[in-house]
Amino acid sequence: MRLETYLDGVAASAIAEALGLSEPAPAMLRPADPKFGDYQLNGAMALAKRLKKNPRELAAPIAEALLKHEAIRAAEVAGPGFVNLTLDDAFLSRLVSEVLSDARDGVPEVEHKRKLVVDFSAPNIAKQMHVGHLRSTIIGDAIISLCRFVGHEVIGDNHIGDWGTQFGLLIVGMRTFGSEEALEKTPIEELERVYKAASARAKEDEAFAAEARAELAKLQAGDADNRRLWERFVAETRKVLDVVYDKLDVTFDAWLGESAYDDALPGVVERCLKAGIAKEDDGAICIFMADLPDAPPDLKKRKEPFIIRKKDGAFLYSTTDIATAFYRKDHFGADKSVYVVGAPQSHHFKQLFAVMQALGLEMEMEHVAFGAVLGPDGKVLRTRSADGRAITLLSLLEEAESRAQAVMGEMQAEGKLRVPPEDLDRVARAVGIGAVKYADLRQNRMSDYQFDWDKMISFSGNSGPYLQYALARCYSIFREGGVEWAGYRAEIALDHPSEAALGRALLRFADVVHRAAETNQPHLLAEHIYGLAKTFGGFFRDCHVLSSEGAQRASRLGLVAATGRQLERGLRLLGIEPVERM
């Protein structure tokens, strides 16, 4: 059950009883200071303004009506007309018992299920992934997990950059500068070397540049030799990409890159012209935002066009994006298309969404933007080292594993960790990769954040290893007590203040998961499970579990199990591997 949604209904019923008004459920807010209760209802203030009455006069009968409900232990009018609510521990105990017995850890599915396409990661062919691809990949993966868990059907699409001008340069570059032996041994490094050489040559040699354009035209026209070479570029890159995705434990339902829509691009231009939203301008086909009747005012003020065909006849990724949107609606039957792409592309997506609205596409579209990863100097983390070498995402993940192994080795020697030697490599991988993911996902995605290895791979504070350690502690309590973890059930009693605090945290899990899925904000879940782990720490300190007896022991073991299961569920939803022994 979603507790906050349930309480909203309780509040609406109380307002109806007290004032004879049928009102939408007012939002329940959690006060910053727990001394003011569990929740705060401020609906009386809005009603008072409308009814021209004193808000405290309205709040008093609402509080009286709320006290009649079994969920409410105390309802006190405060300030200008707030109602501070304290929930009943016996009522909450029953709900926590239900959470413990629920295979979904108390999280119901949504009533209205939708079909979503989530576009994320999207690296370029013939290039290695670098740190710039990190956020899209792990934020997109977490969003997919969250949306699937609450009941939506989700298609994860890796819209790779596998078409366009660079392939003309690569084709002629391989024939001019390429090494077959290097392409066999280190394909991506060789393709990057060739592309760099070909790009430099094209800037100085117009004949070479013209040859590259001609080879691209042949590729797009279906030339067999060029097609085979292009397919090899794609296949070799996929091998390298798959190594990175395997480390991150990220998978896709579709790999529909730009090339998948090449045949549709002429039709896109014709469709826009026929709809009257595009026109020729200096030989190019353009869409001007001022010509779109429903475009946002800020877009209408901008003079630069949304170009869908250049004067030389070439198409752009704007053209591809229009074709892609139609495909997701027509082929997948999507209700919504989500684009997990960095904030610098916000203007492009505003334009795209305005164009799709003008074309009558009946599909919701959302840009899930995110900020940058910063280095120690506070500037955007460089994708190349001082000597010009690429800092690949793979090398970063390998360093995370190595650092985790070193930290864990020291803690193991000091007796602070108890990982079986045969599991040390596996656990170090889980901790290292999990640390990188959590450090990113705990941030509001719109914020930039500083990449800090020491804070990231720390077993204290707000970090992935801390959460994995908290989960391992839950498992260890059951092992030490000789109690079976799987399927453990008990009647929960929230008698001690620390038990009550933990029970309340467990009951917020469902609302947080739904809110994170609804808003595409994984940090809400990360924030919650960190708070849950800290609250569990207080419970573990104050309430003896294994030395308790009878019903109290069973209840406290139940609280441990419910906490562990929600921590494990939360970590998995964030794409972080849980660890049972530490």
Side-chain angles (χ1 to χ4, degrees):
M1 180 179 76
R2 294 183 63 178
L3 179 60
E4 290 177 12
T5 304
Y6 176 77
L7 293 174
D8 288 344
V10 171
S13 297
I15 290 172
E17 179 184 337
L19 306 177
L21 298 173
S22 179
E23 292 290 318
M28 287 283 188
L29 305 175
R30 288 184 60 211
D33 190 333
K35 73 180 182 182
F36 295 120
D38 295 310
Y39 290 96
Q40 190 175 76
L41 178 69
N42 61 6
M45 299 180 70
L47 287 171
K49 188 175 182 181
R50 199 177 82 212
L51 299 174
K52 295 183 171 54
K53 290 190 176 183
N54 185 315
R56 288 184 66 90
E57 291 179 16
L58 297 180
I62 293 172
E64 190 176 331
L66 283 165
L67 277 171
K68 297 177 184 179
H69 198 281
E70 64 167 341
I72 310 300
R73 188 181 78 203
E76 299 175 354
V77 178
F82 301 115
V83 181
N84 292 333
L85 304 176
T86 302
L87 303 181
D88 181 77
D89 286 341
F91 172 76
L92 296 178
S93 297
R94 190 174 77 242
L95 294 187
V96 177
S97 299
E98 292 173 4
V99 167
L100 180 62
S101 301
D102 183 22
R104 292 177 52 83
D105 303 313
V107 183
E109 291 190 344
V110 292
E111 290 184 20
H112 304 293
K113 298 179 180 181
R114 307 176 74 195
K115 191 169 190 178
L116 318 176
V117 176
V118 176
D119 179 331
F120 73 116
S121 196
N124 291 315
I125 291 299
K127 294 182 180 179
Q128 297 198 64
M129 292 176 73
H130 55 71
V131 71
H133 296 106
L134 177 66
R135 300 209 74 184
S136 176
T137 305
I138 62 178
I139 292 171
D141 185 56
I143 287 170
I144 288 172
S145 295
L146 284 161
C147 290
R148 280 183 179 150
F149 184 58
V150 300
H152 299 299
E153 182 180 353
V154 189
I155 296 167
D157 185 9
N158 197 356
H159 188 67
I160 54 175
D162 64 351
W163 208 241
T165 304
Q166 70 267 35
F167 290 99
L169 287 167
L170 275 171
I171 289 168
V172 71
M174 277 303 301
R175 292 169 182 162
T176 308
F177 311 108
S179 161
E180 181 64 29
E181 183 181 357
L183 191 61
E184 287 284 344
K185 289 183 178 178
T186 54
I188 301 303
E189 290 86 344
E190 175 64 1
L191 289 173
E192 288 183 331
R193 183 191 70 80
V194 166
Y195 179 71
K196 186 177 179 180
S199 296
R201 175 79 170 268
K203 290 175 183 176
E204 302 171 354
D205 186 342
E206 178 52 36
F208 185 87
E211 185 181 356
R213 290 193 293 271
E215 294 300 337
L216 176 62
K218 285 168 62 179
L219 170 64
Q220 294 174 339
D223 178 80
D225 288 340
N226 283 8
R227 182 80 185 187
R228 277 193 294 271
L229 201 50
W230 172 80
E231 287 174 348
R232 187 174 180 190
F233 298 159
V234 173
E236 295 294 348
T237 306
R238 278 289 303 270
K239 290 178 186 176
V240 176
L241 295 180
D242 286 342
V243 172
V244 177
Y245 292 133
D246 184 59
K247 269 197 183 299
L248 289 169
D249 193 24
V250 170
T251 59
F252 302 88
D253 303 293
W255 286 71
L256 292 170
E258 296 170 6
S259 65
Y261 305 99
D262 187 55
D263 292 344
L265 302 188
V268 165
V269 174
E270 291 305 313
R271 189 168 189 165
C272 293
L273 289 168
K274 189 175 180 180
I277 66 167
K279 59 188 177 186
E280 184 178 335
D281 184 75
D282 192 26
I285 303 299
C286 305
I287 299 173
F288 290 89
M289 296 295 114
D291 295 339
L292 304 182
D294 297 320
D298 61 321
L299 282 186
K300 284 179 173 287
K301 293 177 184 177
R302 305 283 286 262
K303 293 184 178 180
E304 76 278 9
F306 193 70
I307 303 173
I308 56 175
R309 193 179 72 198
K310 295 197 293 187
K311 66 168 67 176
D312 63 3
F315 302 108
L316 297 94
Y317 64 83
S318 54
T319 330
T320 303
D321 283 348
I322 295 172
T324 303
F326 278 121
Y327 182 87
R328 288 173 179 168
K329 178 63 179 177
D330 297 339
H331 179 77
F332 289 129
D335 301 302
K336 183 176 181 179
S337 183
V338 176
Y339 301 81
V340 187
V341 182
Q345 292 297 315
S346 293
H347 180 63
H348 167 75
F349 283 108
K350 278 187 180 179
Q351 290 182 309
L352 174 65
F353 298 167
V355 168
M356 299 316 300
Q357 183 181 12
L359 290 171
L361 179 68
E362 295 182 356
M363 179 181 71
E364 186 182 349
M365 304 175 78
E366 181 180 357
H367 175 207
V368 174
F370 53 84
V373 183
L374 308 179
D377 57 0
K379 297 178 181 179
V380 175
L381 194 64
R382 292 178 299 179
T383 58
R384 292 193 172 274
S385 60
D387 60 5
R389 290 182 301 168
I391 303 174
T392 67
L393 183 51
L394 180 59
S395 66
L396 182 142
L397 296 176
E398 288 173 341
E399 183 171 356
E401 292 180 26
S402 175
R403 285 175 177 263
Q405 186 128 27
V407 170
M408 289 176 60
E410 291 175 7
M411 294 178 71
Q412 192 95 327
E414 295 168 1
K416 296 177 181 177
L417 287 182
R418 289 179 292 176
V419 180
E422 65 273 16
D423 291 340
L424 197 55
D425 288 347
R426 178 185 61 80
V427 173
R429 282 196 299 273
V431 169
I433 302 300
V436 171
K437 287 187 175 185
Y438 184 80
D440 190 302
L441 292 172
R442 78 178 185 88
Q443 314 290 335
N444 183 320
R445 58 177 165 77
M446 287 304 299
S447 302
D448 298 341
Y449 77 93
Q450 198 163 50
F451 199 90
D452 186 321
W453 282 117
D454 292 336
K455 289 181 181 178
M456 200 176 284
I457 305 178
S458 169
F459 282 78
S460 61
N462 193 357
S463 68
Y466 172 77
L467 293 174
Q468 289 167 316
Y469 185 78
L471 171 60
R473 175 182 283 177
C474 293
Y475 272 103
S476 72
I477 291 170
F478 270 71
R479 283 195 301 270
E480 289 171 20
V483 183
E484 181 64 32
W485 171 274
Y488 185 82
R489 303 286 183 265
E491 290 299 316
I492 302 298
L494 304 177
D495 297 327
H496 189 283
S498 292
E499 292 173 326
L502 183 56
R504 282 163 167 77
L506 291 167
L507 291 173
R508 287 195 291 271
F509 185 68
D511 283 296
V512 170
V513 168
H514 275 268
R515 196 173 300 119
E518 289 160 7
T519 61
N520 294 318
Q521 295 187 95
H523 81 275
L524 297 177
L525 176 57
E527 200 173 71
H528 175 75
I529 59 174
Y530 172 60
L532 176 62
K534 286 204 303 180
T535 305
F536 174 73
F539 160 81
F540 186 75
R541 178 194 64 227
D542 299 336
C543 301
H544 298 291
V545 178
L546 296 179
S547 61
S548 299
E549 297 180 350
Q552 185 183 69
R553 184 178 193 267
S555 172
R556 289 180 174 177
L557 280 168
L559 286 170
V560 174
T563 300
R565 289 169 194 171
Q566 286 192 358
L567 286 174
E568 184 164 353
R569 177 82 69 180
L571 288 169
R572 289 193 187 281
L573 288 173
L574 295 175
I576 297 170
E577 183 181 345
V579 177
E580 295 182 14
R581 289 178 180 269
M582 256 194 203

